[in-house]
PDB file of all heavy atoms in Angstrom:
ATOM      1  N   TYR A  92     177.333  51.063  80.519  1.00  0.00           N
ATOM      2  CA  TYR A  92     176.306  51.708  79.710  1.00  0.00           C
ATOM      3  C   TYR A  92     175.123  50.761  79.476  1.00  0.00           C
ATOM      4  O   TYR A  92     173.955  51.138  79.600  1.00  0.00           O
ATOM      5  CB  TYR A  92     176.886  52.156  78.368  1.00  0.00           C
ATOM      6  CG  TYR A  92     175.872  52.786  77.450  1.00  0.00           C
ATOM      7  CD1 TYR A  92     175.460  54.105  77.634  1.00  0.00           C
ATOM      8  CD2 TYR A  92     175.313  52.057  76.402  1.00  0.00           C
ATOM      9  CE1 TYR A  92     174.525  54.679  76.797  1.00  0.00           C
ATOM     10  CE2 TYR A  92     174.374  52.627  75.561  1.00  0.00           C
ATOM     11  CZ  TYR A  92     173.980  53.940  75.761  1.00  0.00           C
ATOM     12  OH  TYR A  92     173.044  54.508  74.939  1.00  0.00           O
ATOM     13  N   GLY A  93     175.429  49.493  79.139  1.00  0.00           N
ATOM     14  CA  GLY A  93     174.368  48.515  78.904  1.00  0.00           C
ATOM     15  C   GLY A  93     173.560  48.242  80.159  1.00  0.00           C
ATOM     16  O   GLY A  93     172.323  48.101  80.109  1.00  0.00           O
ATOM     17  N   GLU A  94     174.241  48.183  81.304  1.00  0.00           N
ATOM     18  CA  GLU A  94     173.532  47.926  82.568  1.00  0.00           C
ATOM     19  C   GLU A  94     172.587  49.068  82.912  1.00  0.00           C
ATOM     20  O   GLU A  94     171.431  48.848  83.301  1.00  0.00           O
ATOM     21  CB  GLU A  94     174.569  47.731  83.684  1.00  0.00           C
ATOM     22  CG  GLU A  94     173.977  47.477  85.049  1.00  0.00           C
ATOM     23  CD  GLU A  94     173.872  48.749  85.881  1.00  0.00           C
ATOM     24  OE1 GLU A  94     174.712  49.652  85.669  1.00  0.00           O
ATOM     25  OE2 GLU A  94     172.966  48.834  86.726  1.00  0.00           O
ATOM     26  N   ARG A  95     173.055  50.304  82.765  1.00  0.00           N
ATOM     27  CA  ARG A  95     172.188  51.455  83.045  1.00  0.00           C
ATOM     28  C   ARG A  95     171.010  51.491  82.081  1.00  0.00           C
ATOM     29  O   ARG A  95     169.874  51.777  82.482  1.00  0.00           O
ATOM     30  CB  ARG A  95     173.004  52.747  82.946  1.00  0.00           C
ATOM     31  CG  ARG A  95     174.093  52.882  84.000  1.00  0.00           C
ATOM     32  CD  ARG A  95     173.476  52.978  85.394  1.00  0.00           C
ATOM     33  NE  ARG A  95     174.473  52.915  86.431  1.00  0.00           N
ATOM     34  CZ  ARG A  95     175.129  53.969  86.913  1.00  0.00           C
ATOM     35  NH1 ARG A  95     174.901  55.159  86.395  1.00  0.00           N
ATOM     36  NH2 ARG A  95     176.009  53.815  87.876  1.00  0.00           N
ATOM     37  N   LEU A  96     171.286  51.213  80.831  1.00  0.00           N
ATOM     38  CA  LEU A  96     170.223  51.248  79.833  1.00  0.00           C
ATOM     39  C   LEU A  96     169.167  50.185  80.126  1.00  0.00           C
ATOM     40  O   LEU A  96     167.961  50.467  80.105  1.00  0.00           O
ATOM     41  CB  LEU A  96     170.815  51.035  78.438  1.00  0.00           C
ATOM     42  CG  LEU A  96     169.856  51.174  77.256  1.00  0.00           C
ATOM     43  CD1 LEU A  96     169.306  52.593  77.183  1.00  0.00           C
ATOM     44  CD2 LEU A  96     170.552  50.805  75.958  1.00  0.00           C
ATOM     45  N   ALA A  97     169.602  48.977  80.441  1.00  0.00           N
ATOM     46  CA  ALA A  97     168.657  47.881  80.663  1.00  0.00           C
ATOM     47  C   ALA A  97     167.867  48.067  81.953  1.00  0.00           C
ATOM     48  O   ALA A  97     166.636  47.958  81.966  1.00  0.00           O
ATOM     49  CB  ALA A  97     169.402  46.540  80.684  1.00  0.00           C
ATOM     50  N   THR A  98     168.562  48.355  83.045  1.00  0.00           N
ATOM     51  CA  THR A  98     167.880  48.426  84.343  1.00  0.00           C
ATOM     52  C   THR A  98     167.012  49.672  84.482  1.00  0.00           C
ATOM     53  O   THR A  98     165.897  49.602  84.996  1.00  0.00           O
ATOM     54  CB  THR A  98     168.903  48.375  85.478  1.00  0.00           C
ATOM     55  OG1 THR A  98     169.856  49.460  85.325  1.00  0.00           O
ATOM     56  CG2 THR A  98     169.652  47.054  85.471  1.00  0.00           C
ATOM     57  N   HIS A  99     167.515  50.821  84.021  1.00  0.00           N
ATOM     58  CA  HIS A  99     166.726  52.043  84.159  1.00  0.00           C
ATOM     59  C   HIS A  99     165.511  52.019  83.238  1.00  0.00           C
ATOM     60  O   HIS A  99     164.419  52.457  83.626  1.00  0.00           O
ATOM     61  CB  HIS A  99     167.592  53.264  83.873  1.00  0.00           C
ATOM     62  CG  HIS A  99     168.545  53.603  84.980  1.00  0.00           C
ATOM     63  ND1 HIS A  99     169.593  52.780  85.322  1.00  0.00           N
ATOM     64  CD2 HIS A  99     168.615  54.666  85.819  1.00  0.00           C
ATOM     65  CE1 HIS A  99     170.265  53.319  86.330  1.00  0.00           C
ATOM     66  NE2 HIS A  99     169.689  54.458  86.656  1.00  0.00           N
ATOM     67  N   ASP A 100     165.686  51.513  82.037  1.00  0.00           N
ATOM     68  CA  ASP A 100     164.543  51.420  81.125  1.00  0.00           C
ATOM     69  C   ASP A 100     163.479  50.482  81.695  1.00  0.00           C
ATOM     70  O   ASP A 100     162.286  50.808  81.684  1.00  0.00           O
ATOM     71  CB  ASP A 100     165.022  50.915  79.765  1.00  0.00           C
ATOM     72  CG  ASP A 100     163.874  50.765  78.777  1.00  0.00           C
ATOM     73  OD1 ASP A 100     163.310  51.783  78.337  1.00  0.00           O
ATOM     74  OD2 ASP A 100     163.531  49.617  78.441  1.00  0.00           O
ATOM     75  N   ALA A 101     163.916  49.330  82.202  1.00  0.00           N
ATOM     76  CA  ALA A 101     162.955  48.389  82.769  1.00  0.00           C
ATOM     77  C   ALA A 101     162.299  48.947  84.025  1.00  0.00           C
ATOM     78  O   ALA A 101     161.098  48.743  84.265  1.00  0.00           O
ATOM     79  CB  ALA A 101     163.654  47.066  83.083  1.00  0.00           C
ATOM     80  N   THR A 102     163.073  49.672  84.851  1.00  0.00           N
ATOM     81  CA  THR A 102     162.506  50.265  86.059  1.00  0.00           C
ATOM     82  C   THR A 102     161.447  51.300  85.728  1.00  0.00           C
ATOM     83  O   THR A 102     160.356  51.306  86.313  1.00  0.00           O
ATOM     84  CB  THR A 102     163.614  50.911  86.911  1.00  0.00           C
ATOM     85  OG1 THR A 102     164.527  49.899  87.343  1.00  0.00           O
ATOM     86  CG2 THR A 102     163.040  51.594  88.130  1.00  0.00           C
ATOM     87  N   LEU A 103     161.737  52.182  84.795  1.00  0.00           N
ATOM     88  CA  LEU A 103     160.769  53.211  84.423  1.00  0.00           C
ATOM     89  C   LEU A 103     159.499  52.597  83.843  1.00  0.00           C
ATOM     90  O   LEU A 103     158.376  53.034  84.150  1.00  0.00           O
ATOM     91  CB  LEU A 103     161.400  54.184  83.430  1.00  0.00           C
ATOM     92  CG  LEU A 103     162.530  55.060  83.976  1.00  0.00           C
ATOM     93  CD1 LEU A 103     163.152  55.901  82.872  1.00  0.00           C
ATOM     94  CD2 LEU A 103     162.022  55.961  85.100  1.00  0.00           C
ATOM     95  N   LYS A 104     159.653  51.582  83.005  1.00  0.00           N
ATOM     96  CA  LYS A 104     158.477  50.924  82.440  1.00  0.00           C
ATOM     97  C   LYS A 104     157.703  50.172  83.523  1.00  0.00           C
ATOM     98  O   LYS A 104     156.463  50.163  83.518  1.00  0.00           O
ATOM     99  CB  LYS A 104     158.902  49.970  81.327  1.00  0.00           C
ATOM    100  CG  LYS A 104     159.388  50.678  80.073  1.00  0.00           C
ATOM    101  CD  LYS A 104     159.801  49.688  78.997  1.00  0.00           C
ATOM    102  CE  LYS A 104     160.251  50.402  77.720  1.00  0.00           C
ATOM    103  NZ  LYS A 104     160.700  49.453  76.677  1.00  0.00           N
ATOM    104  N   GLY A 105     158.426  49.535  84.435  1.00  0.00           N
ATOM    105  CA  GLY A 105     157.755  48.822  85.521  1.00  0.00           C
ATOM    106  C   GLY A 105     156.983  49.756  86.430  1.00  0.00           C
ATOM    107  O   GLY A 105     155.860  49.450  86.848  1.00  0.00           O
ATOM    108  N   LEU A 106     157.562  50.910  86.750  1.00  0.00           N
ATOM    109  CA  LEU A 106     156.864  51.888  87.585  1.00  0.00           C
ATOM    110  C   LEU A 106     155.665  52.476  86.856  1.00  0.00           C
ATOM    111  O   LEU A 106     154.638  52.772  87.477  1.00  0.00           O
ATOM    112  CB  LEU A 106     157.825  52.997  88.013  1.00  0.00           C
ATOM    113  CG  LEU A 106     158.963  52.572  88.946  1.00  0.00           C
ATOM    114  CD1 LEU A 106     159.851  53.762  89.268  1.00  0.00           C
ATOM    115  CD2 LEU A 106     158.409  51.968  90.235  1.00  0.00           C
ATOM    116  N   ALA A 107     155.780  52.651  85.540  1.00  0.00           N
ATOM    117  CA  ALA A 107     154.631  53.121  84.759  1.00  0.00           C
ATOM    118  C   ALA A 107     153.500  52.097  84.822  1.00  0.00           C
ATOM    119  O   ALA A 107     152.321  52.466  84.992  1.00  0.00           O
ATOM    120  CB  ALA A 107     155.047  53.376  83.312  1.00  0.00           C
ATOM    121  N   ASP A 108     153.835  50.814  84.704  1.00  0.00           N
ATOM    122  CA  ASP A 108     152.812  49.771  84.832  1.00  0.00           C
ATOM    123  C   ASP A 108     152.212  49.769  86.230  1.00  0.00           C
ATOM    124  O   ASP A 108     150.999  49.552  86.404  1.00  0.00           O
ATOM    125  CB  ASP A 108     153.423  48.402  84.533  1.00  0.00           C
ATOM    126  CG  ASP A 108     153.802  48.242  83.065  1.00  0.00           C
ATOM    127  OD1 ASP A 108     153.266  48.996  82.234  1.00  0.00           O
ATOM    128  OD2 ASP A 108     154.651  47.376  82.770  1.00  0.00           O
ATOM    129  N   LEU A 109     153.053  50.001  87.244  1.00  0.00           N
ATOM    130  CA  LEU A 109     152.562  50.028  88.621  1.00  0.00           C
ATOM    131  C   LEU A 109     151.564  51.163  88.819  1.00  0.00           C
ATOM    132  O   LEU A 109     150.543  50.988  89.504  1.00  0.00           O
ATOM    133  CB  LEU A 109     153.740  50.167  89.592  1.00  0.00           C
ATOM    134  CG  LEU A 109     153.382  50.234  91.081  1.00  0.00           C
ATOM    135  CD1 LEU A 109     152.696  48.939  91.521  1.00  0.00           C
ATOM    136  CD2 LEU A 109     154.632  50.487  91.929  1.00  0.00           C
ATOM    137  N   ARG A 110     151.839  52.316  88.222  1.00  0.00           N
ATOM    138  CA  ARG A 110     150.889  53.435  88.332  1.00  0.00           C
ATOM    139  C   ARG A 110     149.538  53.067  87.715  1.00  0.00           C
ATOM    140  O   ARG A 110     148.481  53.373  88.281  1.00  0.00           O
ATOM    141  CB  ARG A 110     151.468  54.675  87.669  1.00  0.00           C
ATOM    142  CG  ARG A 110     152.659  55.279  88.399  1.00  0.00           C
ATOM    143  CD  ARG A 110     153.093  56.589  87.758  1.00  0.00           C
ATOM    144  NE  ARG A 110     154.202  57.176  88.482  1.00  0.00           N
ATOM    145  CZ  ARG A 110     155.477  57.009  88.152  1.00  0.00           C
ATOM    146  NH1 ARG A 110     155.786  56.267  87.096  1.00  0.00           N
ATOM    147  NH2 ARG A 110     156.434  57.567  88.864  1.00  0.00           N
ATOM    148  N   VAL A 111     149.574  52.435  86.559  1.00  0.00           N
ATOM    149  CA  VAL A 111     148.330  52.018  85.907  1.00  0.00           C
ATOM    150  C   VAL A 111     147.582  51.007  86.781  1.00  0.00           C
ATOM    151  O   VAL A 111     146.361  51.098  86.962  1.00  0.00           O
ATOM    152  CB  VAL A 111     148.624  51.432  84.512  1.00  0.00           C
ATOM    153  CG1 VAL A 111     147.351  50.852  83.894  1.00  0.00           C
ATOM    154  CG2 VAL A 111     149.209  52.497  83.596  1.00  0.00           C
ATOM    155  N   ASP A 112     148.310  50.034  87.320  1.00  0.00           N
ATOM    156  CA  ASP A 112     147.681  49.029  88.178  1.00  0.00           C
ATOM    157  C   ASP A 112     147.084  49.670  89.435  1.00  0.00           C
ATOM    158  O   ASP A 112     146.015  49.260  89.906  1.00  0.00           O
ATOM    159  CB  ASP A 112     148.708  47.965  88.583  1.00  0.00           C
ATOM    160  CG  ASP A 112     149.164  47.124  87.394  1.00  0.00           C
ATOM    161  OD1 ASP A 112     148.467  47.125  86.361  1.00  0.00           O
ATOM    162  OD2 ASP A 112     150.231  46.490  87.498  1.00  0.00           O
ATOM    163  N   LEU A 113     147.780  50.666  89.986  1.00  0.00           N
ATOM    164  CA  LEU A 113     147.267  51.354  91.173  1.00  0.00           C
ATOM    165  C   LEU A 113     145.970  52.089  90.869  1.00  0.00           C
ATOM    166  O   LEU A 113     144.999  52.011  91.641  1.00  0.00           O
ATOM    167  CB  LEU A 113     148.314  52.343  91.692  1.00  0.00           C
ATOM    168  CG  LEU A 113     149.385  51.778  92.623  1.00  0.00           C
ATOM    169  CD1 LEU A 113     150.464  52.822  92.872  1.00  0.00           C
ATOM    170  CD2 LEU A 113     148.767  51.350  93.943  1.00  0.00           C
ATOM    171  N   LEU A 114     145.944  52.812  89.765  1.00  0.00           N
ATOM    172  CA  LEU A 114     144.727  53.533  89.404  1.00  0.00           C
ATOM    173  C   LEU A 114     143.576  52.559  89.154  1.00  0.00           C
ATOM    174  O   LEU A 114     142.428  52.820  89.547  1.00  0.00           O
ATOM    175  CB  LEU A 114     144.979  54.395  88.167  1.00  0.00           C
ATOM    176  CG  LEU A 114     145.934  55.578  88.373  1.00  0.00           C
ATOM    177  CD1 LEU A 114     146.176  56.307  87.063  1.00  0.00           C
ATOM    178  CD2 LEU A 114     145.375  56.552  89.412  1.00  0.00           C
ATOM    179  N   ALA A 115     143.881  51.434  88.514  1.00  0.00           N
ATOM    180  CA  ALA A 115     142.836  50.429  88.278  1.00  0.00           C
ATOM    181  C   ALA A 115     142.328  49.856  89.602  1.00  0.00           C
ATOM    182  O   ALA A 115     141.120  49.632  89.771  1.00  0.00           O
ATOM    183  CB  ALA A 115     143.379  49.317  87.386  1.00  0.00           C
ATOM    184  N   ALA A 116     143.240  49.629  90.561  1.00  0.00           N
ATOM    185  CA  ALA A 116     142.830  49.095  91.860  1.00  0.00           C
ATOM    186  C   ALA A 116     141.962  50.099  92.619  1.00  0.00           C
ATOM    187  O   ALA A 116     140.987  49.725  93.273  1.00  0.00           O
ATOM    188  CB  ALA A 116     144.065  48.740  92.694  1.00  0.00           C
ATOM    189  N   ILE A 117     142.317  51.374  92.522  1.00  0.00           N
ATOM    190  CA  ILE A 117     141.524  52.400  93.197  1.00  0.00           C
ATOM    191  C   ILE A 117     140.137  52.496  92.581  1.00  0.00           C
ATOM    192  O   ILE A 117     139.125  52.638  93.285  1.00  0.00           O
ATOM    193  CB  ILE A 117     142.250  53.752  93.133  1.00  0.00           C
ATOM    194  CG1 ILE A 117     143.515  53.712  93.996  1.00  0.00           C
ATOM    195  CG2 ILE A 117     141.343  54.888  93.591  1.00  0.00           C
ATOM    196  CD1 ILE A 117     144.383  54.938  93.879  1.00  0.00           C
ATOM    197  N   LEU A 118     140.068  52.412  91.259  1.00  0.00           N
ATOM    198  CA  LEU A 118     138.777  52.527  90.589  1.00  0.00           C
ATOM    199  C   LEU A 118     137.876  51.329  90.865  1.00  0.00           C
ATOM    200  O   LEU A 118     136.663  51.420  90.660  1.00  0.00           O
ATOM    201  CB  LEU A 118     138.987  52.693  89.077  1.00  0.00           C
ATOM    202  CG  LEU A 118     139.599  54.021  88.641  1.00  0.00           C
ATOM    203  CD1 LEU A 118     139.848  54.029  87.151  1.00  0.00           C
ATOM    204  CD2 LEU A 118     138.690  55.180  89.030  1.00  0.00           C
ATOM    205  N   ARG A 119     138.434  50.218  91.320  1.00  0.00           N
ATOM    206  CA  ARG A 119     137.611  49.067  91.676  1.00  0.00           C
ATOM    207  C   ARG A 119     136.999  49.189  93.057  1.00  0.00           C
ATOM    208  O   ARG A 119     136.157  48.367  93.437  1.00  0.00           O
ATOM    209  CB  ARG A 119     138.440  47.779  91.603  1.00  0.00           C
ATOM    210  CG  ARG A 119     138.782  47.324  90.187  1.00  0.00           C
ATOM    211  CD  ARG A 119     139.290  45.900  90.186  1.00  0.00           C
ATOM    212  NE  ARG A 119     140.510  45.761  90.942  1.00  0.00           N
ATOM    213  CZ  ARG A 119     141.731  45.854  90.433  1.00  0.00           C
ATOM    214  NH1 ARG A 119     141.877  46.127  89.134  1.00  0.00           N
ATOM    215  NH2 ARG A 119     142.807  45.707  91.184  1.00  0.00           N
ATOM    216  N   LYS A 120     137.392  50.200  93.803  1.00  0.00           N
ATOM    217  CA  LYS A 120     136.858  50.370  95.150  1.00  0.00           C
ATOM    218  C   LYS A 120     135.416  50.875  95.086  1.00  0.00           C
ATOM    219  O   LYS A 120     134.977  51.401  94.070  1.00  0.00           O
ATOM    220  CB  LYS A 120     137.740  51.348  95.936  1.00  0.00           C
ATOM    221  CG  LYS A 120     139.149  50.832  96.178  1.00  0.00           C
ATOM    222  CD  LYS A 120     139.961  51.814  96.970  1.00  0.00           C
ATOM    223  CE  LYS A 120     141.402  51.313  97.113  1.00  0.00           C
ATOM    224  NZ  LYS A 120     141.471  50.062  97.863  1.00  0.00           N
TER     225      LYS A 120
END
């Protein structure tokens, strides 16, 4: 339970940050 909670939460937050970084990179074009 702890492993799923830690890894999935971090993965979802990391992918959310990646989406923001991608949009920022596109807007710099």
Side-chain angles (χ1 to χ4, degrees):
Y92 178 78
E94 179 264 331
R95 295 295 172 88
L96 186 63
T98 57
H99 285 67
D100 179 70
T102 297
L103 293 175
K104 289 180 178 178
L106 294 179
D108 291 340
L109 179 62
R110 291 186 178 95
V111 174
D112 293 342
L113 275 171
L114 292 176
I117 292 173
L118 291 176
R119 288 194 298 268
K120 295 181 184 297

